[in-house]
Structure formats: structure tokens, C-alpha cells
């Protein structure tokens, strides 16, 4: 339903207040810069021009290793790196192309970065992430001056009582969390007609490659910020496609780990059986570094107990440019190709590149039973969401305004002009109608999903063909954002690994019409991250498809 004029005025007033708080956070962070710093002395064209035409810097596209070398050589400090990225956010996110990738700035980030400089001068280096700026998705708890909202106004100002486990690990590693990123609201689990990258707090995000195209989601802001060089790297979360799809749409490397490799404690949940967080980066190397730093058993998440003896703390040992040589790689085609001319064309090129790198290609190597657990996946997610979100909201303490999923539904109804101007909350309502996790319908659905996706699915085809990995296009090129009709997915390959809880990695595979990124997914068995990283790195080094976005207003179509 369209909002009334009065509703529009109220919504605009809310947006203006949110803009004030958002920009105030940047101002507070940037104000921490010394007056004689390079940032304070910047001159140039007006910001609205600089954002689209800003000249590249040595920091753009820099890897973790390159950033550390800049600091070691005295070219940069961790403080100047952090302030540089904050300035990029200021230039690109609410000014210039107005990407709307960021929910909230961490006003303490410059001070934390300065502390990391002090530690370095004292001879203390915590590891590869020491002093490295990073952004995290807005559904991940931090016990600081940033809130955790999943993009919803219902949780505006909600401060977690403690850090998420992976945030504790980030802080211990010396990483500098500079912001929380925008996302598809509630990780895209509110409506069947949603637009990825939209939420009630930040509005609709834009794809930095082509601004009228969608970001995909739900980790939309993490993809935008990393690809547009507003951060060194980022963390996203996935239930089914929410890391790999935005990574594909932004020419990034995204790793969706085995469920249990990273703790989910302190992350606003959808599904205990499918949720995971994971790295999003511009290179396989950086994603591998972040992946290893955040592994570890956590009593708050029983799923991590299964990672004992399986998880590594350093996945960079798998970075082998010759990793494809002799590897058996299966091409999954049935139901995972044929929906996009460009994705199929790029897959053909990728297969040729892997052959040239020495891979043994098994084509086709289709995954059995695809599509046979779509309905039961929805059943499982709805049951688990109701249970998980009620537990999470209860963990916020007695002063939290939202106590249950029912409260969230009521809030959205009462604030429909702000929260539901384009799409509703059908999934919330369907989830609320579900019973407890002891229901036979839930138990049977979960068992079916695991049997068809694991034993009779990924495991079966990999055993049959003696495969090291399965490859397929990650998804279709980004579609034009459509707030009237919602998303326009034509295909994707995230579901088998998501339902199985198995790992997948997407790597840039090329571009549709020269400007829209498309990723190649490597899918494997449980705990096969090291093997997948070896293959993905070899493919990346053989092709080097990643290129920075140009903020085009629309696709440049070839002349006929």
C-alpha cells in the first residue's frame, strides 16, 4: 500500500534524523584526525564530483599484505588508513553516488587505530589483521557505541550486552572495526517480494559497478563497501546465498564456510542449521587470512564443537597458484546453468582456463535432487527463525522494547509507512504461525533436507566422480533494482551448499556486457575449505578478473 502524504512526511523526518546520526558518526570519527594529517589537508573538487571522479590512490585495491607494508615502510599508519577509509565512506556512501552501504560508523575507530600504531611502535604485532580496517554486517553484535539492528527501525539504538564471538576474535587480532554495513532487512527474511539491499534504516543500496543495478543480498553493504574500496575487507552472513550472491555481484571473493567453522553467537539469527558468517574480500588471499583468524570452538554455539580437528587457524598455506593441476573438478549444469547467456558464456571461458591450468574437468557432474527440497527448506527456516529470533530478542535484556517475533510484526504494522512502503512481512507472519522445534513437520523436513543435499546430493556426485570440487556460475548478473516488483533472480547455485551446511567459495569469473560482475562458485564437502581455497586461488591467479567499479549510471550497451 502506498504511504499517505502525512506518512511520507513522517518517514522523511525519520530519514533526516537517521542521516544526522549517521553523518554525525562520520564527523566524530574524522574529527579525531589530527589537524596536520593528510586527511585534514585534502583539497580538490567538490565532494559530489570527487566521489565519481576521485583519482585512484595507493590504498585502493590494496591487499592486507600491501597495507601492512605501507605501515612498515612509514608511508601510512593504521590511523591514516582508518581515516582514509572513513573519508571514502563520506565521499561515496551518502554523497557522490550515494551507495547507502553503511548503517553506522564506529566513532571509536580512529582511537583504536591509533592504539594499534602505539602497539606496533612498542614491538607488539597481534597478527596479519593488526590495525587493518574492516566493516561488519549490521546483524552482528558489538558491545560498543554502535547498535545492532539488522536494518530494522524496530531495533534502532539496540546495544548488545556483549560482543559476538567473532567480534571478540577480531578485536583480539587487532582489526579496526570502522563501521556496520547495510543489508537486506532482517537478512532478507521478512517478505517474499523484497528488494535486496533495502532496509528501513538506510533505504535502497546501489551497486557500485552500475548504480541502477541491484546489490544482491543479504550482505549487500559488505559487498558494496569492500568492492568500492571503503574498507580493506568485510564480514557477511549467509543462510542461503547472502555471502556468495553479493560477492558475485561486486567482483569479490566470498567464502561461505561449513556451518560450525565460525561461531554464530551474537549474530541475529535465521537458521541454526544453515546460518554462518564468512569473509568477503577482493582477493582469495585476504579472504583466507580472515577465515583462519576467526575459527574456534565457542560454548555459546554448540555447532562449533564439530570443528574440532577440522578447523585451521591459517588457511594461507593452501594458496598454491598450481593448485588446479591434477585436480578433478566437476561442472554442475542441470538447473544451475541455462538461465543466463552471459553466465553460461563466462562458465565456458572459466572451464577453458581451468583446463589450461591443468585441471581434469568432469562435465557434466550434476548435483542430484536439486529443487526437491526447496519447500522443506522454507519450512525449516521458518521454524528455526521463530525459535532463534525469540531467543535473541530475549538475550537483549529486560529493557529491550522488542521481546518476540510477534512484537516485530506489530511494530511493522504500526510503522508501515517507514518499514513497509514497498513490500510486506509475509515471511514473518508465516514464521509466527509455526510451532516449536519438536513438531514432527519440522523434524521430518530437516532430515529430508540433510539427506537429499548431503548424502544423496553433494557427497554422492563427488564420490561418484572422485571430485575435489564442483563448479558452476554463482548466479545471474545484477538486475535493475525494482522496488515495485522486488528482486529478479533468474538463477543461482547457493542452495545445495547452504542446505547441506557445506562450504562454497565464489571468485570473479568475468563481466556481462563488460560491466556487470559474475562469479564462479567452488562447492565441496564439509570442512573442505582448505581444498576449495587452493582451487579458487589457482583460478584467480590464472585469470585475474577483478577490476574496481566505475560507478556507471546504467549499463553501457553495445551498439548494434
Amino acid at each position: 500500500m502506498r504511504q499517505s502524504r502525512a506518512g511520507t512526511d513522517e518517514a522523511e523526518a525519520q530519514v533526516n534524523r537517521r542521516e544526522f546520526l549517521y553523518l554525525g558518526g562520520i564527523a566524530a570519527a574524522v574529527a579525531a584526525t589530527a589537524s596536520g594529517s593528510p586527511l585534514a589537508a585534502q583539497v580538490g573538487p567538490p565532494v559530489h564530483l570527487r566521489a565519481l571522479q576521485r583519482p585512484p590512490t595507493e590504498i585502493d585495491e590494496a591487499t592486507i599484505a600491501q597495507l601492512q607494508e605501507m605501515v612498515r615502510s612509514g608511508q601510512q599508519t593504521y590511523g591514516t588508513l582508518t581515516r582514509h577509509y572513513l573519508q571514502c565512506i563520506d565521499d561515496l556512501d551518502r554523497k557522490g553516488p550515494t551507495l547507502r552501504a553503511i548503517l553506522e560508523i564506529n566513532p571509536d575507530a580512529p582511537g583504536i587505530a591509533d592504539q594499534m600504531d602505539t602497539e606496533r611502535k612498542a614491538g607488539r604485532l597481534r597478527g596479519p589483521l593488526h590495525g587493518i580496517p574492516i566493516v561488519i554486517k549490521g546483524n552482528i553484535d558489538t558491545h560498543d557505541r554502535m547498535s545492532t539492528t539488522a536494518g530494522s527501525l524496530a531495533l534502532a539504538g539496540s546495544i548488545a550486552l556483549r560482543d559476538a564471538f567473532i567480534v571478540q576474535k577480531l578485536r583480539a587480532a587487532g582489526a579496526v572495526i570502522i563501521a556496520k554495513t547495510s543489508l537486506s532487512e532482517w537478512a532478507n527474511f521478512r517478505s517474499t517480494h523484497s528488494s535486496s539491499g533495502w532496509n528501513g534504516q538506510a533505504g535502497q543500496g546501489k551497486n557500485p559497478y552500475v548504480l541502477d543495478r541491484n546489490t544482491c543480498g543479504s550482505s549487500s553493504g559488505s559487498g558494496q563497501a569492500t568492492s568500492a574500496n571503503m574498507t580493506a575487507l568485510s564480514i557477511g552472513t549467509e543462510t542461503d546465498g547472502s555471502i556468495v550472491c553479493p560477492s558475485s555481484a561486486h567482483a569479490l571473493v566470498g567464502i561461505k564456510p561449513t556451518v560450525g567453522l565460525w561461531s554464530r553467537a551474537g549474530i541475529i539469527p535465521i537458521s541454526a542449521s544453515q546460518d554462518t558468517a564468512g569473509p568477503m574480500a577482493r582477493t582469495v588471499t585476504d579472504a583466507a587470512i580472515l577465515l583462519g583468524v576467526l575459527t574456534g570452538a565457542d560454548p555459546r554455539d554448540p555447532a562449533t564443537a564439530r570443528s574440532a580437528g577440522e578447523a585451521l587457524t591459517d588457511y594461507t598455506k593452501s594458496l598454491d597458484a598450481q593448485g588446479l593441476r591434477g585436480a578433478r573438478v566437476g561442472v554442475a549444469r542441470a538447473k544451475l546453468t541455462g538461465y543466463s547467456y552471459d553466465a553460461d558464456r563466462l562458465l565456458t571461458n572459466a572451464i577453458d582456463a581451468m583446463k589450461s591450468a591443468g585441471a581434469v574437468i568432469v562435465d557434466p557432474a550434476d548435483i542430484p535432487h536439486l529443487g526437491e527440497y526447496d519447500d522443506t527448506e522454507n519450512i525449516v527456516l521458518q521454524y528455526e527463525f521463530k525459535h532463534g529470533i525469540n531467543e535473541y530478542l530475549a538475550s537483549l535484556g529486560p529493557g529491550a522494547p522488542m521481546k518476540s517475533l510477534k512484537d516485530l510484526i506489530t511494530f511493522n504494522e504500526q510503522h508501515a509507512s517507514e518499514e513497509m512502503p514497498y513490500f510486506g512481512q509475509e515471511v514473518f507472519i508465516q514464521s509466527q504461525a509455526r510451532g516449536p522445534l519438536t513438531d514432527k513437520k519440522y523434524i521430518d523436513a530437516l532430515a529430508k533436507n540433510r539427506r537429499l543435499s548431503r548424502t544423496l546430493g553433494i557427497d554422492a556426485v563427488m564420490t561418484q566422480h572422485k571430485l575435489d570440487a564442483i563448479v558452476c556460475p554463482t548466479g545471474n548478473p545484477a538486475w535493475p533494482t525494482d522496488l515495485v516488483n522486488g528482486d529478479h533472480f533468474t538463477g543461482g547455485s547457493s542452495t545445495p551448499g547452504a542446505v547441506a551446511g557445506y562450504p562454497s567459495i565464489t571468485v570473479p569469473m568475468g563481466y556481462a556486457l563488460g560491466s556487470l560482475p559474475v562469479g564462479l562458485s567452488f562447492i565441496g564437502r564439509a570442512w573442505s575449505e582448505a581444498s576449495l581455497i587452493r582451487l579458487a586461488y589457482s583460478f584467480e591467479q590464472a585469470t585475474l578478473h577483478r577490476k574496481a567499479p566505475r560507478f556507471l549510471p546504467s549499463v553501457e550497451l553495445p551498439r548494434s
Side-chain angles (χ1 to χ4, degrees), residues 21-312:
L21 293 171
Y22 170 91
L23 296 173
I26 292 183
V30 174
T33 305
S35 59
S37 73
L39 182 66
Q42 279 186 349
V43 294
V47 169
H48 71 282
L49 294 177
R50 187 167 72 242
L52 288 172
Q53 302 173 8
R54 60 196 311 271
T57 72
E58 65 177 357
I59 298 174
D60 291 347
E61 298 292 297
T63 64
I64 292 171
Q66 289 168 337
L67 293 174
Q68 293 290 12
E69 176 58 24
M70 290 177 197
V71 175
R72 188 203 65 79
S73 67
Q75 293 174 270
Q76 299 285 343
T77 66
Y78 298 126
T80 58
L81 289 176
T82 290
R83 292 169 174 91
H84 169 87
Y85 286 123
L86 289 171
Q87 185 66 62
C88 290
I89 291 172
D90 193 34
D91 286 351
L92 298 175
D93 200 59
R94 292 299 194 268
K95 301 173 183 174
T98 59
L99 295 180
R100 298 189 176 272
I102 304 297
L103 283 182
E104 194 167 356
I105 297 293
N106 182 5
D108 299 321
I112 295 170
D114 292 342
Q115 178 188 341
M116 293 302 106
D117 282 316
T118 299
E119 290 188 12
R120 184 183 181 93
K121 290 176 183 176
R124 182 188 178 195
L125 285 176
R126 303 189 187 192
L129 293 183
H130 184 105
I132 298 298
I134 186 171
V135 297
I136 64 175
K137 191 173 178 180
N139 60 349
I140 301 173
D141 282 348
T142 54
H143 182 59
D144 53 19
R145 291 198 280 171
M146 291 188 291
S147 56
T148 306
T149 66
S152 172
L153 298 174
L155 294 186
S158 177
I159 303 296
L161 298 180
R162 62 190 296 188
D163 284 339
F165 180 83
I166 59 173
V167 171
Q168 294 174 7
K169 300 277 281 187
L170 276 179
R171 297 195 200 278
V176 181
I177 302 171
I178 63 172
K180 288 194 178 180
T181 58
S182 188
L183 66 158
S184 309
E185 189 172 299
W186 294 109
N188 223 358
F189 204 72
R190 200 194 82 189
S191 173
T192 55
H193 304 290
S194 62
S195 174
S196 291
W198 185 93
N199 63 69
Q201 283 191 286
Q204 178 65 54
K206 300 176 186 176
N207 190 311
Y209 283 88
V210 181
L211 297 174
D212 67 357
R213 296 276 162 163
N214 199 264
T215 58
C216 203
S218 64
S219 305
S220 52
S222 296
Q224 297 165 274
T226 308
S227 193
N229 286 286
M230 295 191 284
T231 181
L233 68 169
S234 63
I235 291 177
T237 69
E238 174 163 332
T239 304
D240 187 341
S242 290
I243 289 173
V244 296
C245 187
S247 294
S248 174
H250 292 94
L252 296 176
V253 175
I255 301 180
K256 199 286 288 188
T258 305
V259 171
L261 189 70
W262 279 14
S263 170
R264 288 86 53 84
I267 300 175
I268 296 177
I270 292 178
S271 165
S273 62
Q274 293 184 205
D275 285 353
T276 182
M280 298 172 70
R282 292 184 290 271
T283 66
V284 174
T285 299
D286 285 359
I289 290 172
L290 182 56
L291 183 69
V293 169
L294 300 192
T295 61
D298 174 15
R300 295 172 63 200
D301 183 358
T304 60
R306 298 193 296 268
S307 70
E310 303 284 0
L312 303 178

Side-chain angles (χ1 to χ4, degrees), residues 365-435:
D366 295 327
I367 302 173
H369 302 290
L370 285 185
E372 295 179 26
Y373 42 85
D374 290 350
D375 289 344
T376 45
E377 181 189 14
N378 285 332
I379 291 170
V380 167
L381 297 188
Q382 289 171 11
Y383 270 98
E384 292 183 346
F385 177 68
K386 180 182 179 181
H387 177 80
I389 197 63
N390 286 342
E391 279 197 340
Y392 175 84
L393 293 173
S395 76
L396 298 178
M402 299 292 117
K403 309 293 186 185
S404 66
L405 175 56
K406 184 178 179 181
D407 288 347
L408 297 177
I409 292 170
T410 300
F411 178 92
N412 289 338
E413 290 171 347
Q414 292 174 346
H415 299 82
S417 62
E418 299 162 85
E419 278 290 351
M420 300 193 293
Y422 306 115
F423 51 87
Q425 54 178 341
E426 304 87 10
V427 177
F428 270 19
I429 293 168
Q430 292 163 5
S431 299
Q432 177 61 23
R434 298 296 182 183

Side-chain angles (χ1 to χ4, degrees), residues 269-553:
I270 292 178
S271 165
S273 62
Q274 293 184 205
D275 285 353
T276 182
M280 298 172 70
R282 292 184 290 271
T283 66
V284 174
T285 299
D286 285 359
I289 290 172
L290 182 56
L291 183 69
V293 169
L294 300 192
T295 61
D298 174 15
R300 295 172 63 200
D301 183 358
T304 60
R306 298 193 296 268
S307 70
E310 303 284 0
L312 303 178
T313 57
D314 182 5
Y315 286 92
T316 63
K317 296 177 182 178
S318 297
L319 300 173
D320 179 3
Q322 302 301 314
L324 280 165
R325 188 167 302 281
R328 292 181 61 82
V329 178
V331 181
R333 292 190 178 274
K335 299 185 179 180
L336 301 179
T337 60
Y339 56 80
S340 166
Y341 165 78
D342 284 295
D344 290 350
R345 173 181 59 82
L346 295 171
L347 176 63
T348 298
N349 296 341
I351 292 169
D352 290 342
M354 287 187 284
K355 286 179 179 177
S356 296
V360 177
I361 302 297
V362 180
D363 188 3
D366 295 327
I367 302 173
H369 302 290
L370 285 185
E372 295 179 26
Y373 42 85
D374 290 350
D375 289 344
T376 45
E377 181 189 14
N378 285 332
I379 291 170
V380 167
L381 297 188
Q382 289 171 11
Y383 270 98
E384 292 183 346
F385 177 68
K386 180 182 179 181
H387 177 80
I389 197 63
N390 286 342
E391 279 197 340
Y392 175 84
L393 293 173
S395 76
L396 298 178
M402 299 292 117
K403 309 293 186 185
S404 66
L405 175 56
K406 184 178 179 181
D407 288 347
L408 297 177
I409 292 170
T410 300
F411 178 92
N412 289 338
E413 290 171 347
Q414 292 174 346
H415 299 82
S417 62
E418 299 162 85
E419 278 290 351
M420 300 193 293
Y422 306 115
F423 51 87
Q425 54 178 341
E426 304 87 10
V427 177
F428 270 19
I429 293 168
Q430 292 163 5
S431 299
Q432 177 61 23
R434 298 296 182 183
L437 298 185
T438 53
D439 278 3
K440 186 176 186 300
K441 186 171 187 177
Y442 164 74
I443 294 170
D444 289 348
L446 181 60
K448 174 185 175 182
N449 291 351
R450 288 177 168 171
R451 182 178 70 257
L452 295 184
S453 64
R454 294 177 179 179
T455 311
L456 302 180
I458 293 171
D459 291 337
V461 68
M462 293 191 72
T463 298
Q464 177 186 355
H465 296 293
K466 299 180 174 62
L467 301 178
D468 295 290
I470 301 165
V471 297
C472 48
T474 306
N476 53 277
W479 56 92
T481 294
D482 184 350
L483 289 170
V484 176
N485 299 301
D487 288 337
H488 300 301
F489 288 103
T490 57
S493 58
S494 63
T495 296
V499 174
Y502 287 4
S504 62
I505 301 178
T506 182
V507 182
M509 183 170 67
Y511 299 82
L513 299 173
S515 56
L516 295 171
V518 180
L520 177 70
S521 280
F522 292 80
I523 303 169
R525 300 178 190 264
W527 316 113
S528 64
E529 283 83 359
S531 177
L532 296 182
I533 286 170
R534 185 182 78 251
L535 301 177
Y537 179 76
S538 182
F539 175 76
E540 173 194 57
Q541 295 303 299
T543 56
L544 297 176
H545 285 302
R546 162 75 191 174
K547 59 185 180 183
R550 293 187 291 149
F551 309 101
L552 298 174

